[in-house]
């Protein structure tokens, strides 16, 4: 899977740095490097399965993570989670056209909101 994206409150989209490793769950004894990520209030973390980035059109071309990043940039400043999912799904639908869905499509959007004091 490709690394997730972060949308900040200004609408800036950044890809999370990829740490590396093999496919999770492939080998039971395999260990994986860990990392941390600090979100600030109104940051949104967008995770997606390879069924999104590897959506295939009728010419067998892949959508790719750059197209996902452009779709997220078009979603604007601090959009609601539902709007982000809709923007990504629309990018996939527009790209694939009449091609059949080639893989599962899962999108998870997490928005950090500062706790009430």
């Amino acid at each position: 899977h490709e690394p997730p994206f972060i949308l900040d409150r200004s609408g800036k989209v950044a890809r999370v740095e990829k740490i590396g490793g093999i496919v999770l769950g492939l080998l039971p004894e395999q260990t994986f490097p860990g990392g941390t990520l600090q979100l600030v209030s109104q940051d949104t973390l967008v995770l997606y399965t390879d069924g999104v980035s590897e959506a295939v059109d009728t010419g067998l071309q892949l959508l790719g993570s750059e197209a996902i990043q452009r779709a997220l940039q078009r979603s604007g400043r601090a959009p609601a989670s539902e709007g982000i999912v809709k923007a990504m799904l629309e990018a996939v639908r527009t790209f694939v056209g009449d091609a059949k869905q080639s893989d599962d499509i899962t999108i998870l959007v997490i928005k950090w909101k500062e706790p009430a004091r």
Side-chain angles (χ1 to χ4, degrees):
H1 295 271
E2 291 295 319
F5 287 99
I6 295 178
L7 283 74
D8 70 16
R9 70 174 65 189
S10 72
K12 179 183 170 194
V13 179
R15 190 181 315 222
V16 174
E17 183 179 336
K18 195 173 193 173
I19 295 174
I22 65 167
V23 177
L24 183 63
L26 184 64
L27 302 170
E29 68 281 353
Q30 183 67 40
T31 59
F32 299 92
T36 60
L37 176 68
Q38 180 68 48
L39 300 176
V40 297
S41 186
Q42 301 304 310
D43 276 354
T44 304
L45 181 65
V46 181
L47 302 105
Y48 54 94
T49 59
D50 58 347
V52 177
S53 57
E54 295 177 2
V56 179
D57 67 6
T58 55
L60 302 179
Q61 299 297 310
L62 300 178
L63 176 65
S65 59
E66 291 79 17
I68 295 168
Q69 186 169 3
R70 287 191 300 273
L72 293 172
Q73 288 168 331
R74 285 192 302 272
S75 67
R77 293 180 53 196
S81 297
E82 183 179 357
I84 293 169
V85 172
K86 285 181 178 181
M88 290 179 68
L89 289 175
E90 181 60 29
V92 170
R93 286 186 193 111
T94 299
F95 178 78
V96 300
D98 293 330
K100 291 184 179 183
Q101 186 172 332
S102 58
D103 200 352
D104 68 291
I105 293 177
T106 304
I107 301 168
L108 176 63
V109 177
I110 302 169
K111 182 173 275 195
W112 170 252
K113 294 187 178 183
E114 194 70 34
R117 296 182 180 176

